[in-house]
Structures are given as structure tokens and as C-alpha cells.
Amino acid sequence: MPAIQVNMIQHAAALAEIARIVGPAGVLADADAAPLLRDERGLYRGAAALVVRPSTVEQVAAVVRVCHDARLGVVPQGGNTGYCGGATPFDGERQVLLSLSRLNRVREVDDVGFTMTAEAGVVLANAQSAAREHGLLLPLSMGSEGSAQIGGNLSTNAGGLAVLRYGTMRELVLGLEVVLPNGEVLSALKGLRKDNTGYDLKAMFLGAEGTLGVITAAVLKLFPEPRSRQTAWLAVASLDAACTLLGRARRESGDQVVSAEYVSRRSLDLVLKHVAGAREPLEQPATHYLLLELASADDDAGLRAKLERVLAGGLASGEILDGTIADSLAQRSALWMLRERVPEAEKRDGGSVKHDVSVRIGRIAEFVARAEPALAAVAPHRLSIYGHIGDGNLHFNVLPPAGQGIDEFRAEPGEALSTCVHDLAAELGGSFSAEHGVGILKVHELERYQLPTAVALMRAMKRALDPHGIMNPGKMLGR
Ligand code: 2HG
Ligand code: ZN
């Protein structure tokens, strides 16, 4: 029998075995499988030989073992909210889509040690609520928290809106449970704060985008829940002024700043145009805005007075032109909406070519000052610039000129514009992907901008853990 036919028989038998392992409730077909085969942004239409949703870690391990033995690819998927196509399978014969959504138990909240043990398929918002029931905070927070899952957050080292205070997902992890590419389970869920017993193995899987194994559970750090918050929407003189003001706010508030989000006038205009209920926040329009939030677990922290002092200093030195402080939860939500719903507004406007770059905070203004003319020289476009300036992370998004469709624009001149943005980030010592990861979308960028020694080390790790290349094939490191 020709080799190819033998392989096909082996694959068919392996797929039947996988279906048996997960049982009828664990196999998705047709209309149920279709949404999992498309990515959030609609950039990719994927295909898989089988779409499964195991309900236990043992089932995940058994499925991966069968895939390993039959050399079938495994594409892990959480809430499927990623921006880079990292959770989309691309082979209708030799890849299995493994959804973690049925592994959705919070196994434990330890309110003495301030930790949570949660399975990969727990939706982020549910994990936050579970912590809140104990008066604790899981600080990871982002627009997609109603659908994004813990496993995806870990695998992409998610960032979001409170990184400035609490760090990215990587900094919130005390332990992991991972199904390795050969089906073995690495169960490292002790949740110890201190444990100097060799390499930090969990670090390999955080941000690995499912290329080294399948994360099935994690021990996460929790914090006291904030009891007081103060939120200000400020018109600032420039991006430089926003960064100086952030430093001032951190120093003068006793480091109580949780979020410092930049919104350009052009991004705000998109929100005002496309999002129902969005209102102009200040009397006079301005070019640059900063959303600044302070929080404390102490309900008597005097945050309002601290914020007012910071703002008075910022006004006197010319960093702030105008501003408003939220006086109620409703006002706070109205201000946050103007920032959080920029991605939705871009989508409603027809879509954007997204850039998720980071540079040192002190170089953000230089980045924008150089990027704008450089892009203008390439082709006509519109810009929507916003993001987490407290983390040095800008979403420098490019929209087609009015009247032009995004699909046509994405190919030409979108790619040339992206190269221009990424080249500049690299030149300023920054990153082409601060928080959205690599997936399939930015494989070439990793090759182009990451240090060759780092890429070689990553490839060596991949070979050591996954010698047959079954884990999320083609993602991050390419073929
Ligand atoms: C955000 O900060 C997200 O809102 C999405 O990272 C950014 O859509 C984008 O470009
Ligand atoms: Zn972001």
C-alpha cells in the first residue's frame, strides 16, 4: 500500500479514537464548529479534521497523546478573541482543533494566600467574579473579558488595562498545569510564592501561543479588592506631556496609578461617530487625551485629594489643558467607554490595519512624531492612535481613506505601511508586538525583528519539547 494511503488510514483511526475519548458531547460539527474555525477579526477562514471539546484534563492528555502518535497537529483554542490568528487551524486533514471551553471550573480560591486555581476554559470575567466573591481582585482586565478565557490569556501573556500596576498575565502566575506534546501532564500547581528548585518551567508556556503544550489550569495571584477609585479624563498638551504627567501622577499619588490610557482625537471621533451613547467629554475638543485612574484597597486613601493635587501641578506646568473627574460610577463608565470601545468603533468604521507596538515610555512621543510623516509619504490613510501609554504600548492603527474598503487597503498599501511602523519601532528599540502576540499574522515579523540568537533558542526549545512539530503548527515560529 502506498505510504500516503497508510497515513490516511492511520489518521482516520486516530480521529475515530479521539472522538471516542471525548464522547458525542465533546465533538463539534458543521454550524457548531464553524465559529471556532474563523478568527475574531475575520482575517482567516480555517479548517480542521476534527473539532473537539474535552471536559477533563485526562481527556485533553489522551487526545494529545493520540495526535502525537499519529502525527496530527493540535491547535488549542480558548475564547477565540485573539487578533493574530493563533487559535485558527489551517489543515482540514491533519489538524485537530482542541477547544478548552469545557474545562471551566474555578478549582479553588485561597483567601489566605490570595491565589486562585482556575482551569483554562474559565472565562476571564467569571474568574474576576469568583475572586470578587472573596473580596479579592484578579487584576487582568480587558475589553474582551466577557469571552476571553484564562488559558488563552496565559498562552498569549495578555496585557490589558491595568498592566501598569499589576503587570501582564506572566506576572500573575504562580503555577501551571500543562499537557505536554507527548500527552504527559506537567502538574505544577503548588502555588508557592517562593520555590527556587531549578528552571522556571512555567515561563516557557506563558506567551508560547500553544506551540509547546496545552495549558489546562493555573494558579493565579489575587490582590485586595480596590475600595476607592478616582478617574480623570484629561486633555493634554502633547504625548510628551501625557508621559510627563504620568510620571508626576505616579510620584505624587504614592504610586496609586492603575491605568494611564492615551486616546487621540481621531480615535475619540470614531467612538463619537459609531458608538451609541458616547458623548464629547469636555467642552472644547483637544488633540490628545489621557484617561488616568488611581485606585487603592484603602477606602480612606484620600485619592481624590491626591488626584486633584496631581492635576493642579499638571495644569500649572502646562501638561494639562482641561479635564474632568468622574463623580459617580456612571460617569466613570462613560469615560472608560470612550477608551474601551475604540476597537469596536474602528470595526464599525470598516476596519483597520492594526499595530500593537511598544517602545520605552520616554520614546513614545518620538515614535509618533516620526511615524506620522513616514506613513504619509507611503500612501493616503487615516490614523487611530490610542493605547496603554503607561506600558509604552500604542495601538497605532491605520484606516483606509474614506470610501476605500479595508480588504483592498490591507494588501496594498497596508503591508508597506505596517513595515514602516514596525521598522520604526525596531529602530527605537521597541517591539512589533507588545500584547497581541505573533500567531500566524506576524510570523515574518518575528523572523525579521527578533534577535537571531533568540529565534534560534526558541527553535531549540520547540525541537526539545515538540520534536514532531504537532503543537499549533505554523504559528509563531512558522514552519
Ligand atoms: C485594546 O487595547 C486592545 O483595546 C485592542 O488591545 C487594540 O483593536 C486594537 O487595535
Ligand atoms: Zn491593547
Side-chain angles (χ1 to χ4, degrees):
M1 218 185 294
I4 254 180
Q5 222 174 330
V6 174
N7 275 343
M8 282 177 61
I9 293 170
Q10 275 176 356
H11 284 165
L15 294 171
E17 175 60 8
I18 291 169
R20 191 197 61 72
I21 291 167
V22 297
V27 177
L28 293 182
D30 308 324
D32 295 330
L36 282 65
L37 296 171
R38 289 190 296 265
D39 72 306
E40 156 80 17
R41 291 174 63 192
L43 295 181
Y44 303 105
R45 229 160 237 286
L50 196 60
V51 177
V52 291
R53 285 195 309 163
S55 60
T56 62
V57 179
E58 292 71 28
Q59 285 188 5
V60 175
V63 168
V64 173
R65 187 181 299 278
V66 173
C67 289
H68 171 267
D69 293 346
R71 308 291 187 258
L72 287 167
V74 179
V75 181
Q77 188 179 97
N80 200 17
T81 57
Y83 273 1
C84 300
T88 307
F90 287 103
D91 189 326
E93 283 170 9
R94 288 176 307 167
Q95 290 184 7
V96 172
L97 174 62
L98 184 76
S99 162
L100 277 305
S101 57
R102 286 211 291 166
L103 264 71
N104 58 2
R105 283 185 318 127
V106 173
R107 292 189 194 162
E108 186 197 12
V109 175
D110 172 354
D111 50 18
V112 174
F114 283 27
T115 66
M116 167 188 290
T117 306
E119 293 184 344
V122 175
V123 169
L124 175 56
N126 295 344
Q128 293 166 344
S129 310
R132 214 174 296 122
E133 280 167 24
H134 294 256
L136 295 172
L137 171 80
L138 174 63
L140 189 77
S141 158
M142 59 188 72
S144 58
E145 63 200 22
S147 352
Q149 295 172 11
I150 294 294
N153 296 150
L154 293 158
S155 296
T156 57
N157 181 31
L161 302 166
V163 172
L164 179 59
R165 166 76 71 88
Y166 299 101
T168 63
M169 194 54 155
R170 197 170 263 148
E171 284 142 284
L172 300 175
V173 181
L174 291 173
L176 284 185
E177 178 186 80
V178 184
V179 174
L180 300 175
N182 63 2
E184 262 181 73
V185 180
L186 173 70
S187 184
L189 293 174
K190 287 184 188 165
L192 303 177
R193 302 256 165 187
K194 298 177 91 171
D195 182 14
N196 279 347
T197 53
Y199 296 137
D200 183 4
L201 295 178
K202 67 180 182 319
M204 289 198 296
F205 304 97
L206 301 169
E209 303 187 15
T211 60
L212 297 179
V214 185
I215 296 175
T216 49
V219 185
L220 304 173
K221 288 184 199 166
L222 303 178
F223 297 81
E225 204 180 7
R227 297 222 184 102
S228 52
R229 276 185 201 280
Q230 290 293 329
T231 311
W233 180 275
L234 307 167
V236 287
S238 63
L239 257 164
D240 237 346
C243 296
T244 310
L245 180 65
L246 168 61
R248 173 193 296 282
R250 290 192 66 185
R251 272 192 293 270
E252 292 184 14
S253 68
D255 216 3
Q256 308 277 36
V257 180
V258 180
S259 303
E261 295 286 318
Y262 171 76
V263 181
S264 65
R265 179 72 219 178
R266 289 172 283 201
S267 301
L268 178 63
D269 279 340
L270 289 170
V271 175
L272 295 175
K273 180 166 173 198
H274 294 291
V275 177
R279 303 256 170 285
E280 184 78 49
L282 304 173
E283 261 171 38
Q284 296 296 324
T287 313
H288 306 282
Y289 296 98
L290 182 69
L291 179 60
L292 193 65
E293 186 158 284
L294 273 52
S296 171
D298 182 354
D299 51 12
D300 192 21
L303 281 192
R304 180 69 174 225
K306 286 180 183 161
L307 180 61
E308 282 171 359
R309 221 171 30 241
V310 170
L311 301 194
L315 271 168
S317 64
E319 291 147 15
I320 300 176
L321 306 175
D322 190 7
T324 177
I325 300 179
D327 273 324
S328 64
L329 272 180
Q331 283 179 12
R332 173 177 180 251
S333 311
L335 296 180
W336 265 107
M337 164 194 196
L338 302 177
R339 158 62 185 92
E340 281 193 288
R341 297 182 70 177
V342 179
E344 175 192 330
E346 284 178 6
K347 202 169 177 177
R348 287 177 191 268
D349 201 75
S352 58
V353 175
K354 294 182 184 297
H355 301 107
D356 165 39
V357 296
S358 63
V359 292
R360 287 187 184 213
I361 299 175
R363 301 197 84 171
I364 289 183
E366 180 187 356
F367 174 84
V368 173
R370 288 180 58 183
E372 290 199 12
L375 263 64
V378 175
H381 59 272
R382 291 174 295 148
L383 286 174
S384 169
I385 310 172
Y386 62 103
H388 322 281
I389 67 158
D391 315 328
N393 175 195
L394 275 188
H395 298 307
F396 195 91
N397 294 345
V398 185
L399 285 71
Q404 192 182 350
I406 187 70
D407 291 335
E408 169 197 341
F409 180 77
R410 200 182 295 289
E412 189 57 52
E415 285 191 16
L417 292 166
S418 292
T419 303
C420 190
V421 172
H422 293 154
D423 280 356
L424 183 61
E427 197 187 321
L428 297 191
S431 166
F432 66 86
S433 183
E435 63 174 355
H436 297 163
V438 179
I440 194 83
L441 182 68
K442 296 182 190 160
V443 166
H444 297 296
E445 274 81 354
L446 187 87
E447 194 67 58
R448 182 177 163 104
Y449 299 109
Q450 182 55 286
L451 296 171
T453 316
V455 174
L457 204 49
M458 288 188 213
R459 288 195 191 285
M461 285 168 65
K462 173 77 175 168
R463 273 195 305 276
L465 267 85
D466 182 20
H468 304 298
I470 65 158
M471 286 309 311
N472 214 358
K475 309 294 167 47
M476 207 166 78
L477 288 165
R479 296 272 153 206

